[in-house]
């Protein structure tokens, strides 16, 4: 009986290990090698075309992946449109009239559906497009694990509460990223995504008119396009020196008190702040930033993905499959 009992325990252990492996382990860089071998090249070609037409689009596609993963995991919930019976995440404060690139995702999805229908998820498209956008703008590549599936739900509430605010202080930023399992160093690396892209006047007006830890000439130049009232949607580059090139200039800007957003400049106080040394390290060693950024992006892409039979592979990234 003892040996039979041991056998049963062994069987149960094996069953547990097979059925309760963490979802991130199930992702694989070769997931589409057989089912859709042209998937990655199709996405890359479409991203390169979109970025060539508008370099800002690279930042927008990178941001979409971030805004997806930080709200209940990397499940393409950010792409869902509102319907008569459903409110998605697009009207959440961090996304409303701000998140963009949806049409590029639509184009990619359409191309993939024509060559391998029902195979490549919208969530994986976001993950790969983010990587390809960085590369298209001069950054380093990383290997994207694949096999995510798409959600059938979204959360307006979580989109409003989980995404870090451009008005956040350092402690709030550290907490927001820590809640998703990121270290402070990884938070500083991921913040480097602001080396590309633009931000609206409404998001940095308070900083340029009221804060003192900002380069005076820089603030004056920004005020020309961001008056004390009005012009809320006027855009300025997050990186004042090379906003369409993925480099480490973002960190140099912080050291020079030229962070555009309040949350940006919070990473560097000019003293012995908890993130100051990391900012200086990335300024001095861009290769280190590229490596750490890529590793942090892989980790972000592993946030609670739907795999196996969970969720679905949406035919249209904007709506849940019917039936």
């Amino acid at each position: 009986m003892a040996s039979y009992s041991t056998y049963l325990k062994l069987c149960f252990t094996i069953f547990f290990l097979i059925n309760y492996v963490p979802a991130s382990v199930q992702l694989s860089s070769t997931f589409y090698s057989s089912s859709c071998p042209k998937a990655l090249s199709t996405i890359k070609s479409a991203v390169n075309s979109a970025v060539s037409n508008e370099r800002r689009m690279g930042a927008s596609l990178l941001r979409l992946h971030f805004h997806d993963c930080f709200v209940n995991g990397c499940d393409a919930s950010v792409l869902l449109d509102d319907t008569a019976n459903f409110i998605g995440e697009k009207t959440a404060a961090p996304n409303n009239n701000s998140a963009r690139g949806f049409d590029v995702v639509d184009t990619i999805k359409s191309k993939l559906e024509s060559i391998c229908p029902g195979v490549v998820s919208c969530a994986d498209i976001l993950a790969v497009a983010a990587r390809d956008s960085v590369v298209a703008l001069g950054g380093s590549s990383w290997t994207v694990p694949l096999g995510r599936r798409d959600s059938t739900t979204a959360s307006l509430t979580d989109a409003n509460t989980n995404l870090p605010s451009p008005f956040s202080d350092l402690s709030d930023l550290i907490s927001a990223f820590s809640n998703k399992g990121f270290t402070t160093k990884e938070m500083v690396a991921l913040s480097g995504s602001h080396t590309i892209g633009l931000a609206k006047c409404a998001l940095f007006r308070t900083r340029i008119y009221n804060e003192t830890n900002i380069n005076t000439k820089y603030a004056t130049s920004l005020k020309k396009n961001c008056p004390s009232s009005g012009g809320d949607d006027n855009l300025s580059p997050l990186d004042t020196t090379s906003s369409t090139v993925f480099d480490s200039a973002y960190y140099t800007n912080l050291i020079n008190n030229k962070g555009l957003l309040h949350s940006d400049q919070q990473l560097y106080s000019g003293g012995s702040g908890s993130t100051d040394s990391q900012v200086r390290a990335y300024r001095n060693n861009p290769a280190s930033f590229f490596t750490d950024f890529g590793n942090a992006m892989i980790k972000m892409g592993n946030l609670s993905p739907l795999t196996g039979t969970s969720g679905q592979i949406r035919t249209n990234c904007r709506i849940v499959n019917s039936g």
Side-chain angles (χ1 to χ4, degrees):
M1 289 296 293
S3 59
Y4 182 68
S5 175
T6 301
Y7 170 76
L8 288 178
K9 290 180 180 179
L10 178 61
C11 288
F12 176 79
T13 300
I14 293 173
F15 175 83
F16 182 87
L17 290 174
I18 291 175
N19 289 280
Y20 292 91
V21 176
S24 60
V25 177
Q26 299 176 26
L27 301 181
S28 167
S29 62
T30 61
F31 189 82
Y32 297 113
S33 294
S34 298
S35 59
C36 192
K38 293 184 179 180
L40 296 186
S41 61
T42 299
I43 297 172
K44 182 177 181 179
S45 177
V47 168
N48 287 344
S49 177
V51 174
S52 177
N53 290 334
E54 182 196 10
R55 292 183 68 80
R56 179 191 174 196
M57 187 55 69
S60 298
L61 292 172
L62 174 59
R63 185 167 176 251
L64 268 187
H65 181 45
F66 173 74
H67 280 222
D68 179 39
C69 292
F70 257 59
V71 181
N72 300 325
C74 307
D75 58 5
S77 59
V78 71
L79 301 177
L80 289 171
D81 284 341
D82 293 352
T83 68
N85 303 310
F86 176 87
I87 299 178
E89 298 165 13
K90 290 182 177 179
T91 55
N95 296 326
N96 193 31
N97 297 318
S98 175
R100 57 198 300 275
F102 300 110
D103 54 338
V104 176
V105 176
D106 291 340
T107 297
I108 295 172
K109 182 60 174 173
S110 178
K111 290 178 181 295
L112 290 172
E113 286 298 305
S114 69
I115 61 175
C116 42
V119 174
V120 182
S121 70
C122 302
D124 276 347
I125 290 174
L126 288 179
V128 176
R131 186 271 312 276
D132 291 347
S133 293
V134 169
V135 174
L137 293 176
S140 295
S141 184
W142 61 89
T143 300
V144 180
L146 301 165
R148 301 168 191 79
R149 288 169 64 85
D150 303 323
S151 69
T152 57
T153 60
S155 176
L156 179 68
T157 299
D158 289 338
N160 275 319
T161 57
N162 289 3
L163 291 165
S165 165
F167 307 105
S168 295
D169 290 332
L170 180 59
S171 59
D172 296 323
L173 292 171
I174 292 174
S175 177
F177 279 82
S178 177
N179 288 340
K180 298 298 179 181
F182 292 102
T183 65
T184 298
K185 180 180 180 180
E186 290 169 333
M187 182 270 290
V188 175
L190 288 172
S191 296
S193 63
H194 283 184
T195 192
I196 54 176
L198 306 172
K200 293 183 178 182
C201 166
L203 301 180
F204 59 85
R205 177 184 286 117
T206 299
R207 169 158 167 71
I208 65 175
Y209 284 97
N210 298 302
E211 297 183 12
T212 58
N213 60 339
I214 186 170
N215 179 281
T216 303
K217 289 184 178 180
Y218 177 56
T220 299
S221 69
L222 290 169
K223 290 175 183 177
K224 296 176 182 178
N225 192 44
C226 184
S228 56
S229 63
D232 285 4
D233 292 336
N234 292 352
L235 299 169
S236 290
L238 288 160
D239 175 352
T240 186
T241 56
S242 52
S243 64
T244 60
V245 178
F246 197 93
D247 54 23
S248 62
Y250 169 79
Y251 300 103
T252 301
N253 293 335
L254 297 185
I255 292 171
N256 293 328
N257 282 341
K258 293 182 179 180
L260 181 65
L261 304 178
H262 175 82
S263 57
D264 289 326
Q265 196 60 53
Q266 284 291 293
L267 301 185
Y268 191 80
S269 63
S272 56
S274 61
T275 55
D276 280 21
S277 62
Q278 196 57 54
V279 169
R280 287 190 291 266
Y282 287 150
R283 187 273 308 269
N284 295 332
N285 189 346
S288 175
F289 161 55
F290 284 153
T291 297
D292 290 351
F293 182 81
N295 289 334
M297 286 295 292
I298 293 172
K299 183 173 179 178
M300 188 177 75
N302 281 340
L303 289 177
S304 305
L306 298 172
T307 58
T309 57
S310 300
Q312 60 182 212
I313 305 297
R314 288 189 221 133
T315 302
N316 179 335
C317 291
R318 294 174 179 265
I319 58 176
V320 174
N321 296 346
S322 59

